[in-house]
Amino acid sequence: MREDEGEIEIASAGKLTQPVELADIRGMTHCHTIYSDGRNSIEEMALAAEAMGMRYLTITDHSPSAHYARGVGIDRLRAQWDEIARVQERVRIKLLKGTESDILEDGSLDYPDHFLEQFDIIIASIHSRHRMDSEQMTQRLLRALKLPFFKVWGHPLGRLIGSRPPLECRMNQVLDAIAESRCAIEVNGDPHRLDLEPDWIRAARTRGIKFIISTDAHSIGGLGSLHYGVSMARRGWLWRDEVLNSLDAEDFMRAVHP
């Protein structure tokens, strides 16, 4: 937190709250399996998260437009849901069926509404058309935010450290729109992303926006990146009550359900 953003003054005034800690996180969010571009099965991911003491795990494989990542088409989606149900009978951890749905160029999501409403959680992310100008990208995001199924904005600015800069958009306008919706923002702990950056986390929390802290794990090993996400959240001054996956499973599901 020591970034000369007013933290010394707030602490001196006794107004500094306790930042979120790794032990506060009860659910592992934004996880991929071999149904898309992950390297482990649903059961392997579930057992690994369970061994870490997690109470729930979201299975959020890529959606159909992510051809490069073997996005899950409708024909395979039912099979995945059936497998989640079978694995649930063998593990204690609660499994949530979700998706990382692409935000398309026009701001829509790439599953039909009657499928979107059946997910437990929808993380909506941009994976293409990163070079839109600020006006185009802002309008794309604002259209997406009006969708009733848009609940979590995944790796918001899409940066890849050292290889891809953040998206161009009018971020303050987008944050204002999120504050008026029921959408939460992801703090992505993938060490190649570390997205959202702390200054924007601080700007979002002043608007009362909620967050999830994720790993964006594509393997069992990727689950270990949770501490990076927590560290980014702490740099942004997030505290436990602002992080949805510090909730128990039932409360979390109510908060993120489409």
Side-chain angles (χ1 to χ4, degrees):
M1 294 176 67
R2 293 177 292 176
E3 298 181 9
D4 195 22
E5 294 291 341
E7 62 276 5
I8 301 299
E9 292 78 7
I10 292 175
S12 296
K15 297 180 180 179
L16 186 64
T17 57
Q18 176 65 39
V20 63
E21 298 180 355
L22 188 60
D24 293 328
I25 305 303
R26 297 181 177 179
M28 197 68 75
T29 57
H30 193 163
C31 298
H32 299 270
T33 74
I34 55 176
Y35 272 87
S36 61
D37 59 346
R39 294 195 290 276
N40 291 99
S41 68
I42 293 171
E43 185 164 8
E44 288 169 338
M45 294 293 282
L47 290 172
E50 187 176 275
M52 296 173 67
M54 294 294 144
R55 301 182 186 181
Y56 49 95
L57 168 75
T58 74
I59 304 297
T60 45
D61 279 301
H62 287 285
S63 57
S65 295
H67 303 294
Y68 64 92
R70 296 183 63 246
V72 183
I74 290 174
D75 57 330
R76 295 171 57 229
L77 190 59
R78 290 294 188 187
Q80 185 190 51
W81 289 355
D82 288 344
E83 183 169 344
I84 289 173
R86 289 194 298 272
V87 172
Q88 184 66 84
E89 295 178 354
R90 300 194 291 269
V91 298
R92 294 187 304 275
I93 190 171
K94 177 69 175 176
L95 302 180
L96 280 63
K97 61 180 192 290
T99 180
E100 184 182 15
S101 184
D102 272 30
I103 301 173
L104 303 179
E105 185 175 4
D106 64 358
S108 63
L109 303 182
D110 61 344
Y111 279 120
D113 285 359
H114 65 279
F115 276 95
L116 290 171
E117 66 188 8
Q118 296 180 63
F119 286 107
D120 295 315
I121 180 173
I122 296 168
I123 296 174
S125 309
I126 288 177
H127 291 106
S128 63
R129 305 281 183 177
H130 289 89
R131 296 184 180 180
M132 283 180 157
D133 63 30
S134 180
E135 173 63 22
Q136 293 171 322
M137 187 62 74
T138 300
Q139 293 304 317
R140 178 182 184 178
L141 290 167
L142 293 178
R143 287 193 294 270
L145 284 167
K146 294 178 182 178
L147 300 174
F149 304 113
F150 193 119
K151 289 298 182 288
V152 180
W153 185 16
H155 46 73
L157 293 183
R159 74 170 181 178
L160 292 174
I161 296 172
S163 63
R164 188 169 70 204
L167 303 173
E168 294 288 340
C169 70
R170 295 193 298 275
M171 189 61 168
N172 281 306
Q173 184 177 352
V174 174
L175 291 180
D176 287 342
I178 290 174
E180 295 176 0
S181 71
R182 290 184 58 241
C183 180
I185 298 178
E186 175 184 66
V187 179
N188 189 298
D190 183 330
H192 299 288
R193 292 187 181 275
L194 302 181
D195 184 10
L196 194 60
E197 295 91 327
D199 53 345
W200 286 122
I201 293 175
R202 286 190 290 270
R205 68 185 297 272
T206 63
R207 293 166 164 85
I209 295 170
K210 300 293 186 179
F211 292 81
I212 67 168
I213 299 175
S214 83
T215 58
D216 200 350
H218 287 68
S219 66
I220 289 172
L223 297 174
S225 296
L226 182 61
H227 68 98
Y228 292 119
V230 171
S231 293
M232 290 295 285
R234 288 170 65 86
R235 288 177 60 195
W237 302 10
L238 282 186
W239 56 301
R240 175 177 175 169
D241 289 354
E242 296 170 314
V243 178
L244 294 179
N245 56 320
S246 70
L247 297 170
D248 286 329
E250 294 303 318
D251 289 334
F252 176 78
M253 290 177 66
R254 279 192 290 270
V256 301
H257 193 278

